[in-house]
Amino acid sequence: FIESFEHAPGVVVIDLDPSDVELHGNQEQRFYQGYYRHYCYLPLYAYCDEHPLGFRLRPSDIDGAKGADAMVLDTFRQLRAAWPEVRVVVRGDSGFCRDWLMRACEAIPGLDYVFGLARNERLTGAIAKQMEQARREYLRSGEPARRYRDFSYRTLDSWSRRRRVIGKAEYLAKGANPRFIVTSLPACEYEKRYLYEEFYCARGEMENRIKEQQLDLFGDRASSHTFRGNEVRLWLSMAAQLLIVGLRRLALKGTELAKAQASTLRLRLLKIGALVTVSVRRVYVRLSSAFPHRHLFRIALKRLRAS
């Protein structure tokens, strides 16, 4: 990931998200997970854009944020070792809105966070005025309307300090739709609407990366009996995703497959019928001249050799 940059970036955003790996046998540390409604593991993923930065296999009988602090701090140290001035922002949904995780970020200069915040009566009351304004606008226009409020907030007993919260007062055809985020980013640098709509909502792209890893690169195969064996299986899947990311970046930039999913690359560029002949001195691999993407194959091969 670090070597993929020509120059040090100003900001690196680390997206965190857990997902389920369904289990169909009697694997070690197998538990029923009420949210997903099946027996599964609950791996934790960390990505920056399309790049996988970290992975940890976990049983599913835990808090979804468990282990996130260690993963974030380890990644932050490696990034700062390469780029001493980089700002790192951790982004996640409300499952990561934990006081211990926010305190860990706040204790280190240059490490910030943006997390979803589950709504409650106090929060919805704080944006009641903005919600009424959005409701009136919706009634006038018939189109979804939203207002934002930036305010300081602290829970009654679970937070150790007051923090910056941004509330989205949105009114839709189905009614009120309040949403909230909590952040350590300063208001003077990140305006409330931008921080919610452009910055926080962009975290949804990470789900596509997890789907690619699990569905296209066999990252949902946990058929070994031992927990460690299944962890190795999923690490191999993560390594395959790293190779796919490198293939897109180094060999396919500017081509029609530059942003192709792993399944597309496998079918169009990697899964090719060939005639293999082994002699005493060499191995010949003869590809069909009728291969429809042979021009892309030549480009990719030339660029990989040059890199």
Side-chain angles (χ1 to χ4, degrees):
F1 171 71
I2 291 172
E3 292 176 352
S4 69
F5 288 82
E6 294 183 5
H7 307 285
V11 178
V12 170
V13 181
I14 301 175
D15 283 310
L16 299 176
D17 207 12
S19 186
D20 64 311
V21 172
E22 188 173 2
L23 302 176
H24 302 281
N26 292 313
Q27 289 91 333
E28 289 181 346
Q29 302 193 48
R30 168 183 178 266
F31 296 98
Y32 184 83
Q33 223 287 337
Y35 178 81
Y36 294 105
R37 299 184 178 181
H38 54 228
Y39 288 90
C40 64
Y41 289 141
L42 192 67
L44 176 63
Y45 300 88
Y47 282 82
C48 179
D49 294 328
E50 66 174 355
H51 293 265
L53 299 183
F55 165 80
R56 179 170 295 177
L57 187 63
R58 309 171 302 172
S60 62
D61 63 332
I62 60 170
D63 179 13
K66 185 176 181 180
D69 51 348
M71 181 180 288
V72 167
L73 294 177
D74 181 58
T75 305
F76 177 80
R77 293 188 190 101
Q78 295 182 64
L79 294 176
R80 271 300 180 94
W83 304 316
E85 302 299 324
V86 70
R87 167 182 266 176
V88 177
V89 183
V90 184
R91 187 167 57 185
D93 60 21
S94 59
F96 294 94
C97 186
R98 302 289 186 266
D99 186 68
W100 51 266
L101 181 54
M102 292 187 285
R103 281 191 286 110
C105 295
E106 292 162 350
I108 302 178
L111 180 58
D112 291 285
Y113 59 83
V114 180
F115 296 134
L117 177 59
R119 63 176 178 260
N120 56 45
E121 291 184 358
R122 290 178 60 209
L123 287 170
T124 54
I127 61 170
K129 180 180 178 181
Q130 288 75 19
M131 186 63 75
E132 178 61 20
Q133 293 172 347
R135 187 186 72 85
R136 292 178 181 178
E137 181 180 342
Y138 170 78
L139 293 177
R140 286 196 306 269
S141 66
E143 298 293 331
R146 60 178 66 95
R147 295 286 188 275
Y148 290 90
R149 186 189 173 196
D150 199 328
F151 59 98
S152 179
Y153 174 80
R154 180 178 181 177
T155 61
L156 295 177
D157 53 16
S158 60
W159 285 9
S160 57
R161 52 169 290 182
R162 301 185 71 85
R163 295 183 169 99
R164 182 190 180 195
V165 169
I166 296 171
K168 181 183 73 167
E170 183 176 46
Y171 205 89
L172 308 171
K174 63 180 181 181
N177 182 42
R179 291 288 187 271
F180 302 90
I181 59 173
V182 57
T183 182
S184 62
L185 294 170
C188 60
E189 297 182 35
Y190 293 85
E191 186 268 336
K192 56 184 181 293
R193 179 183 288 269
Y194 166 82
L195 191 58
Y196 191 98
E197 293 185 357
E198 302 296 329
F199 194 93
Y200 176 71
C201 290
R203 62 165 298 276
E205 177 61 21
M206 180 187 180
E207 296 181 3
N208 294 327
R209 305 283 71 80
I210 295 177
K211 289 178 182 177
E212 179 182 61
Q213 195 257 350
Q214 290 191 344
L215 302 181
D216 297 344
L217 298 170
F218 310 103
D220 60 347
R221 305 293 177 87
S223 54
S224 295
H225 172 68
T226 64
F227 185 84
R228 181 63 62 85
N230 287 316
E231 188 171 38
V232 172
R233 281 177 174 268
L234 300 188
W235 268 116
L236 291 174
S237 175
M238 185 66 73
Q241 189 171 33
L242 283 169
L243 292 175
I244 290 293
V245 170
L247 181 64
R248 285 192 290 243
R249 177 175 61 87
L250 297 173
L252 298 174
K253 184 178 180 180
T255 71
E256 62 192 76
L257 295 180
K259 295 186 179 298
Q261 293 291 314
S263 58
T264 302
L265 293 178
R266 287 175 57 225
L267 291 174
R268 296 190 181 182
L269 203 62
L270 305 179
K271 213 172 179 182
I272 307 169
L275 179 62
V276 181
T277 304
V278 181
S279 68
V280 176
R281 297 190 178 188
R282 57 181 60 88
V283 176
Y284 283 106
V285 180
R286 294 182 173 86
L287 303 179
S288 172
S289 60
F291 175 45
H293 302 290
R294 59 186 181 277
H295 64 292
L296 287 175
F297 190 90
R298 291 195 186 102
I299 292 173
L301 183 61
K302 182 179 180 181
R303 289 179 177 178
L304 288 176
R305 284 174 171 170
S307 63

